[in-house]
Amino acid sequence: MTQLSSDEWFDILAFHAEAGVDVALADAPIDRFAESAAEASAPRQPAGAGLRPDTPPAAQAARQAASGAASFHGAPAPASAAHSAAPHAPDEAALAAREAVGAAMDLDALRAIMEQFEGCALKRTASRLVFADGNPQARVMFVGEAPGREEDQQGLPFVGRAGRLLDLMLASIGLDRTSAYIANIVPWRPPGNRTPTPQETAICLPFIRRQIELANPDIVVCLGKPSAQALMNSTQSISRLRGHFVDYETGTRTIRAIATFHPAYLLRAPIGKRQAWQDMLAVEAALKQGAE
Ligand code: URA
């Protein structure tokens, strides 16, 4: 290879940083194209094959569930969902995720299933799953978009700058991470903090929906447009979605959901803080009302 000057190395690094490649995932480069080519040409294994012999039974069950081998009601999964180690289409992966979450009877089981799920390509570039923070018993659950760099490094949602503003928003109505539960629509960091694609959101939606169902809060607060659109099943703007409660069906009961501006947006556009404050007051009032 041609010798590069330090200026040229600097330019290459700057190019990567601008393209969103801002974290080294390993010490040595990995050729993912070669990996995918090998995967594509390898004979398909029966569902459940490929588990290491020392894989604990719970992890095996989780992995089989995540791979679509077990369906919601225990019936055999369709053949298309069974090979979710590398699903070929987003709708296959979303189907595998929907089937997998049915096996999760509590949040720990859901987390194990998500750890084993291979259907979302973001998992390959993220350093870890960012499942949740706060109190899963809380009456209110905040749902953001996707982890950023700090969240990816620490494995906890909202621990960067936006997270510090979220903490202030919580404090403004007497909440903190012991009285609120916090998660994201997409639990793996998109490279360069880009917005998750509609396909990535669709694949991960069954996970957050099940997480809400299992945490069973009285109120869900959607932080920002991607969260509000995904959970409220709407294409409307955040300005239209925010500020009022709508019913949200968890799967076992009807709770209330409200959207507000994402703290990262508020850092860029502080003018929105006034409306966000009104939204937080609405959350406070709803919590008080429900407690009476
Ligand atoms: N933004 C989000 O939507 N979620 C996080 O966890 C951090 C930043």
Coordinates of all heavy atoms in Angstrom, one line a residue, residues 55-87:
T55 N -24.5 -23.6 25.7 CA -25.4 -22.5 25.8 C -26.5 -22.9 26.8 O -27.1 -23.9 26.8 CB -26.2 -22.3 24.4 OG1 -25.2 -22.1 23.5 CG2 -27.1 -21.1 24.5
P56 N -26.7 -22.0 27.9 CA -27.7 -22.4 28.9 C -29.1 -22.5 28.3 O -29.4 -21.9 27.3 CB -27.7 -21.2 29.8 CG -26.7 -20.2 29.3 CD -26.1 -20.7 28.0
P57 N -29.9 -23.4 28.9 CA -31.3 -23.6 28.4 C -32.1 -22.4 28.1 O -32.7 -22.2 27.1 CB -31.9 -24.5 29.4 CG -30.8 -25.1 30.2 CD -29.7 -24.2 30.1
A58 N -32.0 -21.4 29.1 CA -32.8 -20.2 28.9 C -32.3 -19.4 27.7 O -33.2 -18.9 26.9 CB -32.6 -19.3 30.2
A59 N -31.0 -19.4 27.5 CA -30.5 -18.6 26.3 C -30.9 -19.4 25.1 O -31.2 -18.8 24.0 CB -29.0 -18.5 26.4
Q60 N -30.9 -20.8 25.2 CA -31.3 -21.5 24.0 C -32.7 -21.2 23.6 O -33.1 -21.0 22.4 CB -31.2 -23.0 24.2 CG -29.7 -23.5 24.3 CD -29.6 -25.0 24.3 OE1 -30.6 -25.7 23.8 NE2 -28.5 -25.5 24.8
A61 N -33.6 -21.2 24.7 CA -35.0 -20.9 24.4 C -35.1 -19.5 23.8 O -35.9 -19.3 22.8 CB -35.8 -21.0 25.7
A62 N -34.4 -18.6 24.4 CA -34.5 -17.2 23.9 C -34.0 -17.2 22.5 O -34.6 -16.5 21.6 CB -33.6 -16.3 24.8
R63 N -32.9 -17.9 22.2 CA -32.4 -17.8 20.8 C -33.3 -18.4 19.8 O -33.5 -18.0 18.7 CB -31.0 -18.5 20.8 CG -30.4 -18.5 19.4 CD -29.0 -18.2 19.5 NE -28.4 -18.6 18.2 CZ -27.1 -18.8 18.0 NH1 -26.3 -18.8 19.1 NH2 -26.7 -19.1 16.8
Q64 N -33.9 -19.6 20.3 CA -34.8 -20.2 19.4 C -36.1 -19.4 19.1 O -36.5 -19.2 18.0 CB -35.2 -21.6 19.9 CG -34.2 -22.6 19.6 CD -34.3 -23.9 20.4 OE1 -35.2 -24.0 21.2 NE2 -33.5 -24.8 20.1
A65 N -36.5 -18.7 20.2 CA -37.6 -17.8 20.0 C -37.3 -16.7 19.1 O -38.0 -16.3 18.2 CB -38.1 -17.3 21.4
A66 N -36.1 -16.1 19.4 CA -35.7 -15.0 18.5 C -35.5 -15.4 17.1 O -35.6 -14.6 16.2 CB -34.4 -14.4 19.1
S67 N -35.1 -16.6 16.9 CA -34.9 -17.1 15.5 C -36.2 -17.5 14.9 O -36.2 -18.0 13.7 CB -33.9 -18.2 15.4 OG -34.5 -19.4 15.9
G68 N -37.3 -17.3 15.6 CA -38.6 -17.7 15.0 C -39.0 -19.1 15.1 O -40.0 -19.6 14.6
A69 N -38.1 -19.9 15.8 CA -38.4 -21.3 16.0 C -39.6 -21.6 16.8 O -40.3 -22.5 16.7 CB -37.2 -22.1 16.6
A70 N -39.9 -20.7 17.8 CA -41.1 -20.8 18.6 C -42.0 -19.6 18.2 O -41.5 -18.5 18.0 CB -40.7 -20.7 20.1
S71 N -43.3 -19.9 18.1 CA -44.1 -18.8 17.7 C -44.9 -18.3 19.0 O -44.7 -18.8 20.1 CB -45.1 -19.2 16.7 OG -46.1 -20.0 17.3
F72 N -45.7 -17.3 18.8 CA -46.4 -16.7 20.0 C -47.2 -17.8 20.8 O -47.1 -17.8 22.0 CB -47.4 -15.7 19.5 CG -47.9 -14.7 20.5 CD1 -47.4 -13.5 20.6 CD2 -48.8 -15.1 21.5 CE1 -47.8 -12.6 21.6 CE2 -49.2 -14.3 22.5 CZ -48.6 -13.0 22.5
H73 N -47.8 -18.7 20.1 CA -48.6 -19.7 20.8 C -47.9 -21.1 20.9 O -48.6 -22.1 21.2 CB -50.0 -19.9 20.2 CG -50.8 -18.6 20.2 ND1 -51.2 -18.0 21.4 CD2 -51.1 -17.7 19.2 CE1 -51.8 -16.9 21.1 NE2 -51.8 -16.7 19.8
G74 N -46.7 -21.1 20.6 CA -45.9 -22.3 20.6 C -46.1 -23.2 19.4 O -45.5 -24.3 19.3
A75 N -46.9 -22.7 18.4 CA -47.0 -23.5 17.2 C -45.8 -23.3 16.4 O -45.0 -22.4 16.5 CB -48.2 -22.9 16.4
P76 N -45.5 -24.3 15.5 CA -44.3 -24.1 14.7 C -44.3 -22.8 13.9 O -45.4 -22.4 13.4 CB -44.3 -25.3 13.7 CG -45.4 -26.2 14.2 CD -46.3 -25.4 15.1
A77 N -43.2 -22.2 13.8 CA -43.1 -20.9 13.1 C -43.1 -21.2 11.6 O -42.6 -22.2 11.2 CB -41.8 -20.2 13.5
P78 N -43.5 -20.2 10.8 CA -43.4 -20.4 9.3 C -42.0 -20.5 8.9 O -41.1 -19.9 9.6 CB -44.0 -19.1 8.8 CG -44.4 -18.3 9.9 CD -44.2 -19.0 11.2
A79 N -41.7 -21.3 7.9 CA -40.3 -21.5 7.4 C -39.6 -20.2 7.2 O -38.4 -20.1 7.5 CB -40.3 -22.4 6.2
S80 N -40.3 -19.2 6.7 CA -39.6 -18.0 6.4 C -39.0 -17.3 7.6 O -38.0 -16.6 7.5 CB -40.6 -17.0 5.7 OG -41.6 -16.7 6.6
A81 N -39.7 -17.5 8.8 CA -39.2 -16.8 10.0 C -38.1 -17.6 10.7 O -37.4 -17.1 11.5 CB -40.4 -16.6 10.9
A82 N -38.0 -18.9 10.3 CA -37.1 -19.7 11.1 C -35.7 -19.3 11.0 O -34.9 -19.6 11.9 CB -37.3 -21.2 10.7
H83 N -35.3 -18.8 9.9 CA -33.9 -18.5 9.6 C -33.6 -17.0 9.9 O -33.1 -16.3 9.1 CB -33.5 -18.9 8.2 CG -32.0 -18.8 8.0 ND1 -31.1 -19.6 8.5 CD2 -31.3 -17.9 7.2 CE1 -29.9 -19.3 8.1 NE2 -30.0 -18.2 7.4
S84 N -33.9 -16.5 11.1 CA -33.7 -15.1 11.3 C -32.3 -14.8 11.8 O -32.1 -13.6 12.1 CB -34.8 -14.6 12.3 OG -34.3 -14.8 13.6
A85 N -31.4 -15.8 11.7 CA -30.0 -15.4 12.0 C -29.6 -14.3 11.1 O -28.8 -13.4 11.4 CB -29.1 -16.6 11.9
A86 N -30.1 -14.3 9.9 CA -29.8 -13.3 8.9 C -31.0 -13.2 8.0 O -31.0 -13.7 6.9 CB -28.6 -13.6 8.1
P87 N -32.1 -12.6 8.5 CA -33.3 -12.5 7.7 C -33.0 -11.8 6.4 O -32.2 -10.9 6.3 CB -34.3 -11.7 8.5 CG -33.8 -11.8 9.9 CD -32.3 -11.9 9.8

